[in-house]
Amino acid sequence: MSDEVNQQPKLWTGNHYNEGIGRDDIFDKLREECGVFGVFGVRDAATLGYYGLHTLQHRGEESSGICAVDSVEGTFNYHRGMGLVKEVFDQKTLESLPGDRVIGHVRYSTAGESKLANAQPLIFKYRDGDLAIATNGNIVNAPSIRRELESQGSIFQTTSDTEVIAHLIARSSKDFVNAAKDALQRIIGGFAFLIMTNEKLIVASDAHGLRPLVMGRLDGGYVFASETCALETVGAEYERDVQPGEMLVLDRDGLKLDRFEKLERRATCAMEYIYFARPDSDINGINLHSARKRMGQTLALEAFVDADVVTGVPDSSISAAIGYAEQTGIPYELGLIKNKYTGRTFIQPSQELREKGVKMKLSAVRKVVEGKRVVMIDDSIVRGTTSLRIVNLLREAGATEVHVRITSPPFMNPCYYGIDTPDRKELIASQKTVEEIRQAINADSIYFLSHDGFIDSVGGNDGEYNRGMCLACFDNDYPTPVDPTSEKSCSC
Amino acid sequence: MSDEVNQQPKLWTGNHYNEGIGRDDIFDKLREECGVFGVFGVRDAATLGYYGLHTLQHRGEESSGICAVDSVEGTFNYHRGMGLVKEVFDQKTLESLPGDRVIGHVRYSTAGESKLANAQPLIFKYRDGDLAIATNGNIVNAPSIRRELESQGSIFQTTSDTEVIAHLIARSSKDFVNAAKDALQRIIGGFAFLIMTNEKLIVASDAHGLRPLVMGRLDGGYVFASETCALETVGAEYERDVQPGEMLVLDRDGLKLDRFEKLERRATCAMEYIYFARPDSDINGINLHSARKRMGQTLALEAFVDADVVTGVPDSSISAAIGYAEQTGIPYELGLIKNKYTGRTFIQPSQELREKGVKMKLSAVRKVVEGKRVVMIDDSIVRGTTSLRIVNLLREAGATEVHVRITSPPFMNPCYYGIDTPDRKELIASQKTVEEIRQAINADSIYFLSHDGFIDSVGGNDGEYNRGMCLACFDNDYPTPVDPTSEKSCSC
Amino acid sequence: MSDEVNQQPKLWTGNHYNEGIGRDDIFDKLREECGVFGVFGVRDAATLGYYGLHTLQHRGEESSGICAVDSVEGTFNYHRGMGLVKEVFDQKTLESLPGDRVIGHVRYSTAGESKLANAQPLIFKYRDGDLAIATNGNIVNAPSIRRELESQGSIFQTTSDTEVIAHLIARSSKDFVNAAKDALQRIIGGFAFLIMTNEKLIVASDAHGLRPLVMGRLDGGYVFASETCALETVGAEYERDVQPGEMLVLDRDGLKLDRFEKLERRATCAMEYIYFARPDSDINGINLHSARKRMGQTLALEAFVDADVVTGVPDSSISAAIGYAEQTGIPYELGLIKNKYTGRTFIQPSQELREKGVKMKLSAVRKVVEGKRVVMIDDSIVRGTTSLRIVNLLREAGATEVHVRITSPPFMNPCYYGIDTPDRKELIASQKTVEEIRQAINADSIYFLSHDGFIDSVGGNDGEYNRGMCLACFDNDYPTPVDPTSEKSCSC
Amino acid sequence: MSDEVNQQPKLWTGNHYNEGIGRDDIFDKLREECGVFGVFGVRDAATLGYYGLHTLQHRGEESSGICAVDSVEGTFNYHRGMGLVKEVFDQKTLESLPGDRVIGHVRYSTAGESKLANAQPLIFKYRDGDLAIATNGNIVNAPSIRRELESQGSIFQTTSDTEVIAHLIARSSKDFVNAAKDALQRIIGGFAFLIMTNEKLIVASDAHGLRPLVMGRLDGGYVFASETCALETVGAEYERDVQPGEMLVLDRDGLKLDRFEKLERRATCAMEYIYFARPDSDINGINLHSARKRMGQTLALEAFVDADVVTGVPDSSISAAIGYAEQTGIPYELGLIKNKYTGRTFIQPSQELREKGVKMKLSAVRKVVEGKRVVMIDDSIVRGTTSLRIVNLLREAGATEVHVRITSPPFMNPCYYGIDTPDRKELIASQKTVEEIRQAINADSIYFLSHDGFIDSVGGNDGEYNRGMCLACFDNDYPTPVDPTSEKSCSC
C-alpha cells in the first residue's frame, strides 16, 4: 500500500522523465540525495539561503525549500517547490521569508518518487510549537521505528523517514533539546541534520560523519552547509567540520556544543571525495579538486598506457584527467564536451534518433580524438551503460584506441547512507570481472584505481583522514548495521 | 505561534488579494467554506469527481483536490492545488487518478489563510494504511481535542481542525469503522464528512444535519455531494439526503447504514437556503430557486412598496426578485449586471479609480433605472458596505428611489458551523437598528424578511422542514454548545 | 498556401478545443468577432483600457491587446496575448504602458485560427513613424486590395485583412489623415476602426454603421468603445454613437469631425440587438435589455401557448423570457442554469460521458420543470444542434412539453460583416421548413419572431431606428456588394 | 520614435535583468548575436532543428524559433518564443511543425531590446507565398535601404534590419532566386542567411565570410549550421564551409551552387576563434579547442612568468589555460569555478550583498590559490570591470600574485558585423595603456597576445587561413565600408 503524491503545480507536470527516454543515461549515474544549508543569527537569512542552496544545487536538482523564523515573532514562514532553486524562488518569495534564521534543502529523487509532499524542510506542528527539519542522508532503522510509532497511533504525512525524528521528539516528555538528543541516539545511519524550532536550531552529524557538514561564521552569526563551497559563496568564513556524533545547539544564548554519541572512527562517504562534492569544496580539510587530481596522478602511476590524448568525462573527471596528463606528459584535451544547457525540460532524443546519430548531452570532439589513442578518465562505473556509450562516442569520432581509467575501486555494494544506488545485481562490478567489464564497455583497456591508491590520493601526506572514509561500496565494510533487504537508501 | 504556509506554485503568487484593494467587496459577503463530492463503485470516478466539484465550485473557489483509490491495488493517488477545478486539473492529471472510488473537495478561504497545505482531501498514512478526509463544516471542540492530542505527542501537518479526526482514528485500538464512529461521537459541530481508506468509504453528517449532504446512485455505484446539482451534472439519480447523525459505510460488501448519534431535531443551515446553495439544488427536498422565489413573494406581501422596477443583486437574488415582481406586478428588470469574467486574477480598481467612477464587477443599467423607483432585492446584509455601494450605483445611474428588501431576517450572530463570518461587532445588524441600517446604506426604505415569513417561505406548505433549520445567525439559538471566544468558524 | 502561426506561450497550448469534444456546442452559436476600446487624453489610459476591454470581453475571449502612446515621447508601448483580459494583463504590464492615449482590442476566433500574430492592435512601422490599428468587423473587398498590394511588392505579417488599411496609408503620398481617408473610402464592408499614430487617433465607422461604436467624455478627454457598457464601467459619460461614414480625428488640437462617406441609410447589425451586445448597453439610444424584453413581449403576442413555466436560455435570452412571462402571466422560472465557471481550460465531457448523462455547461432544474409545460425562449437557431440538446435536457428533467420561442426571424444567410457564421448549407433555417426545424430539435411547438415584430420590438415607438438595421441574415438584403464565394466573414 | 514591444507571455516577464543588478557582469562580455540552423530534405526536420539549435544555444540565449515547411502542402508552420530552446519547445510544439525542411534561430539581445516581435525566423507573406528568414550578423547599410523602402510605402513589423531583405525580394519583378541574389548584392556587412519559401531554401554567406556557416549531409538531405558542433549533434557529416559570397539554392531538383559576389579575401571574425564558437566546433577546418590551446602555448612563449598555478576563466579560457600550463610546466588547476545552474531567472546578488562577500556566478577555489602565484588566462578584456572582479576574487581567496594573460590582442574597435560591443570610449584598451589596464584590474602583470602570435596560433602550420580573419576590433582594418556613427551592430 503506497501513496502516490501528485501535488505538483499543473504547469510543469509534463516532464520528460516519465517517457522512459534517456532513462539509463539518467540512472547510470549515482545520485547524491540532498544538500542542506542553515543560517543562525544573520540578517536576510533567506537570501543567504538562496545563494547557499544554489551553490549546493548539484546535490539535488528536484526540489528546493527554505523555512525561515521571523526574528520578531518567532513564527515560521516557508516555501518549497519542485525545481531548481532559481525556479522555486523569486525576489517576492524571498521577501516573504523574513528573519535571521533559516534552514534550507535541495533534494534529488528519482522520477517516480519526485513528490512535493516529500520536499524538505519538513514542517510540523506539535505541542511546543513549530518544527522544521532538513536532512541529507538515510536512517537505516527508520522503517522499524516508523512501524513502532504507527502502532502507537502516529500519523505520517510523507514517505520520508526523516519524519520519524519529529515524532520521536513530539512524543518525548523531555524538553526539545533532550528529546532531540534521545531521538538522535535512537536512529542509526548516515545523516546531516538541521532541526529548527521557533527558538532553537540543532545541527547534528551521524556517529560516523558519513555525510559532510561544515560550519562557518558570518557577521557574528553561524552558517551551516553540506559543503564549504556554499560558505564561500555567501562570504562566510569556514570554521570547522561538524564532528561525528556531534550536536550543536544554537539559541538566543549562542552556540552550545554537545554530542549525542561518543566519537568513534570517522567514516565519511568515499563517493563525496570521488564524485559528489564540488571540486572547490573541502571535506575534512581536503580540497576535492586537489584530491581528484591526485587520484589521476596515482592512476597514471598504477596504470600508465601509451596514448596521444587524455580526456576526462565532464564535469566530474576533469580534475583527475588533468592529474593523469600532468603525471604522464600526455596532453590533456577536451575530447568530450557536455552541453551546459541540457536540463529538466530538455527533450531527450528518442532511441531511433540516437541510433541515427543524434547525440545525448555529451559529444566527442572529432578534431581532438580522430586518429588518436585516447585515455578516458571517469570517476566510477555503475551499470556500465553510460561508459559503453561514451567509449562508442569516442570511437565514432575516430579514436583508434580508448583506454578507460577509473578514479575509484570497483563499485560493488549498495549504499545505505543516502546515495541512490541500484540493486547489487545491476552493479556491473559485482557481476563481472574487470576483463568482462572492459569487453562490456568496448574499451581497449580498463583500470580501476586500487584501494590503497585511492586512500593515499585522498589523504595526501596526512594519514589521519585516510582511516576516516566509508569504503563499503568497494569493500562491503559498513560502519553501521544495515538491513540488506531494505530497498531504501535515502531518508530525504 | 502560527505558521504561514507558502506552498503555492511560484507562478501565480502575485495575486491581488494582497494589495488590499477591493478588500471590503470581498469580505462583505458571507462565504461558504467548502464543498465535498465522493464516488464509490463507478468507473472513471476521478472524471466524475472533476464534473461534480466543478458544479460545486460556488462553495469554494480557492483550492480543489481529488483523492482516488486504485481499484486493483487499493493504492491512493491524489492531486490538490490552489485554484478553480478547471485550473487545478487537466486531462493528464485526471488520468493519473485511476479507480472507481474518489473523494474530492473544493475550498474557500480568506486570502491570508489560503494555503495549499490545508487543501483537502487531507491525506495521512497510519498503521492500517492510507486515510483521506474531505469535509465541509466546522468542529466546535477541535481546539481542545487538538491540545489533548498534542500533549500526547501528536504532530499536525495543517492548521485544519479536520486533522483531529485522523488522529483520533489512528490512536484508537478499534478497527477503522468503530474508531471512526468513536471519533465522530467525540466531535461537536456542523459537518459533512467523507473519510476514505484503501478499502472503505465512510460518509457522515453531524448530529443536526447542519451542512447539506446528499446521496445518489449511478451505474450501480454511489455518489455523494454537498448539493444535488452535482448529482444532476454527473447523471446520478438522487436517492436521499444523508440524515443527521448518520454514518454510511461503503466497502466491497456494499452500503451499510449506521449512526453515531441518535436522530435529534434537524437544524440545516438557513443560509444554505438563502444564499449558498445553487438555485438548481434541492435541500431536504426543497428546490432553492423555488424557495427563494417564495421568499421574494413573502417579502412582497410583508413589505410592498410602490415602485417602477424590481431588480435583484446578481446572482443570488435573481429568484427572489422574480418572486417579488410576480407578486406585486412591478416589472422585473436587469437593473444590475455582473461581469461574469471577473475572477481571481482580475485587477481590482484602486480607490482612486473607484472614486473617479471605475466600476467594480457590478454595474447598474442606466436605461433601466434612470428616473425610476427601484426595489432592490438582496439576500442578506453583513457589514453593509456592499449594500451601500450598490444603492449608490443605482442612484448614480439615475434611480430616484431605492427600496431595499432583504430575503432573510437581520444577520446578527456569528456562525460556528463552517460559514466565514466577521466578528459580531462588524455585523451591522447587531450594532444598528433597522432605521440606522437604512441610513447607513442610503436607502429610501429597507425591510428584512420576518422570521416566520422566512420559515414559511422555505417550507412552503409542508411544516416538517420548517422546524429543521439552524437560525442561530438570526435568533442566537445554536443547536450545539459553542465557544464564543473561538475565532475559528471552519475546519476546512 | 496558408500560414499556421503558433506563437502561443508554451504553457497553455494544451487547450481542449483541439480535442474535438464539445465542438458543436461551441460552433452552434454565432460569435461576435471583436470589441474595440480607445482613450484619448485621459491619464492612466492603459488602466482604463483594461477595464473597458474587460467589459467588452463577451465580444472576444481569445486574445486581448492594448497599445499605448507615451505622452511625453510619443513612443508606442504595447502588449498582446492569447486569453482573457485578466489573463493577458497584470499590474506590471499595465505599468509598462504609460500615457494618456491607448487603443485596445478583444478578439474572438475559432480554435484553428486562434493566432497571436493576428492579435490586435496590429502594429506597423512606416515612413512617418508608428501605426496601430484595432478593428471590429470585416472588409469585404480586402482580398482584392491585398492581391493588388502584393503585386506591388507589399509584405504582409498577418492573415488579417485589417492590414490592408496600413498598407494603403503607408503607400499614399498624402499626409496621414488624408491617406487614412482615402483608405477608408476604398474599403467596403462593416467595421469600426481605431487608427493611432504617434500623434493622432482616427476613429471611423463604415458607411452603414454596421458595427456599433460609441463616444464618451471623461476628465476632459475622449473614450471610444464598441458598446456603452464599457463607457459606464470607466465612468465616462456617453456622448453619442459614431455615425455611419464618419471619421473623427483627434490630436493635440482636440477633436475634429469629418466624414469619408456621405450619410446613407443606417444599417446596424440586427444580431447586436438580439444577441451580441450586453443587455446593459445601448445601441443608437436603445437599451438592449429593454429591446430584448420587448422581443419577448411581442413573441407572447404573436405566439402565445398555454404553459406552466417560461424559461430563457442563459445568458442571452433572460430578458426576453422575462418579457414573455410578463406579457402572458405564465411564471418566469430558472429552468436552465449555466455553470459560470466553465471556460477555456474546462475539460468538455467526452461523447461517452455525455451519453451517460454528464452535463455540458448547461443544466435543467428538475424541480422547476418536472411535470411542467415549458416555454423555452432562445435568441436564434443556427445549426439546431444546441437547441436539440437543450430541449432534450428539459425533457430528461421531466418537462412534459417544450415550446420553443425564438426572438428573431429564421437565420438564413451568412454574414459578411464580422460575424462568424457557418456556410449557408449548415444554417438549419435555410435548409428546412419551420415544421422540419421543430422536429429536428424535438420541440412540441416552435415560433420565430416575425420580421415586423422584430423591427417593432427593437424600435419601440420610435420609427427612426427601425429602418436602421441590417437584416441581411434574415432577408438577404445586404447593404453593400458582397462576394458570396468569400469564406471570410471577419477582418480581425 | 522607437517601439517597445512587449509580447512576452505574462508568466516570466519578471526577469531580473531589469533590476540593474549584475549589469556590468552581463555587459562586460562580448555577445554573439545569433546562431542559425537549417535542414533540407530530412525527415522530422523540426526535431533535428531542436537539437541543432540547442547545440548552438551559446550563440543566443534570449529567443528561439523554428519555421518548418510541410512536405505535402508546402505550408509554413512556425513557433518562436523568448527563452532557451528547451523552454520554448516541447514535444507537442515540435509535432506541430511537420515536414522535412526547417530553418531555425537562436538569438541573443541585450535586455532592453529583448523582443518577441524581433525573434527569428522572421515570417512574411508576399505575392508568391510565404517567406522565412533567419540570419546571424549585421547589414551595415540596412538603415539607408530601410529609409528608401519606407519612402516607397513599405511597412515594417520589426526593428530588425533583416526585414529589408524580405522587402527587397518582394518588390523585385524577378523570380525569387534572382530577386534574392539582387538583394544580397545590395546589402553590405557580415551575415549568414537562411531564406526559405514554400519551395526553396537559399543559404548565403556575406562577401567576406565574416560569420561562420557550414554545410553537412544527413540521410540524403542537407543540414546547415553556424557551427560544426550542431552538425555533429544531429549526426550529420560535415561537408564544407559555405564560402564568402556564395549562395546555395536548394529545391526539389537538389542543390545548386551560385554566388552573388566574386570571391574576395576571406575575413572570418577573429572573436569566433577566440571566444564565441564552441571548442568542439571547427571553423574553416580549424578546431577551436586546439586553436585556443595554441593561443595559450604562444602566450607562454611570449610572456612566461614564474608562478605556482595556471587557471583559466571558465568556460571559454580553459583550453588556452591548459596550453599555457603544458608549455610552461606550471600545473593547471581549477582555480576558478562557475556555477552551472545560474541562468536567466537567477536573482543576482545586490551590490550590498556583493560587498559583503556574496559571490556572483564565479568562485575562486581557496585551497587551490591560497598562498600561490596565479597565472589567470582570459580571452579578452572589454571594459575591464569583470577582470578586476576576478583578480580580486583570486586575491581574496589568498593568491599572492595574479598574472593576467589574454589570448587576444587588445580589443580597441567596435564591431559592425554582429557582435554586441560597447561604444569605443568604454573599451578599456582604446582608452588606456597596457600598464594602465594592469593597474585598473589590479593585476601583478598583464600581457595581451601579439597580433602575429594570435594569427600564428589560429593558423597552426597552414598559412592560408591566417590571411582569412577580420581583425578590425584589434587593428581597425574593416573589410567593408562601415558607418562609424551607427550604433547598430547586429541585424538580428
Side-chain angles (χ1 to χ4, degrees), chain C residues 347-366:
Chain C
I347 305 172
Q348 297 291 337
S350 64
Q351 183 57 29
E352 183 195 345
L353 282 177
R354 284 208 307 239
E355 279 165 16
K356 288 174 99 167
V358 172
K359 302 302 180 298
M360 38 173 210
K361 57 184 179 178
L362 208 61
S363 310
V365 184
R366 184 172 301 276

Side-chain angles (χ1 to χ4, degrees), chain A residues 43 50-51 61 86 232-233 280 282 285 289 293 322 332-333 337 341-342 347 349 352 359 367, chain D residues 43 50-51 54 61 86 232-233 280 282 285 289 293 322 332-333 337 341-342 347 349 352 359 367:
Chain A
R43 212 160 68 84
Y50 176 86
Y51 291 108
E61 301 184 351
K86 70 176 175 183
E232 191 73 25
T233 296
D280 55 335
D282 310 327
H289 162 69
K293 197 169 165 188
I322 290 166
Y332 169 76
E333 304 286 354
I337 195 159
Y341 297 98
T342 307
I347 305 172
E352 183 195 344
K359 302 302 181 297
K367 285 272 176 171
Chain D
R43 212 160 69 83
Y50 176 85
Y51 292 108
H54 178 70
E61 302 184 350
K86 69 176 176 185
E232 190 72 24
T233 296
D280 55 334
D282 310 326
H289 162 69
K293 197 169 163 186
I322 291 165
Y332 168 76
E333 304 287 355
I337 195 160
Y341 298 99
T342 307
I347 305 172
E352 183 195 345
K359 302 299 181 299
K367 284 273 174 170

Side-chain angles (χ1 to χ4, degrees), chain B residues 301-316:
Chain B
L301 294 170
E302 293 189 355
F304 173 80
V305 60
D306 198 22
D308 304 305
V309 162
V310 176
T311 195
V313 177
D315 298 332
S316 58

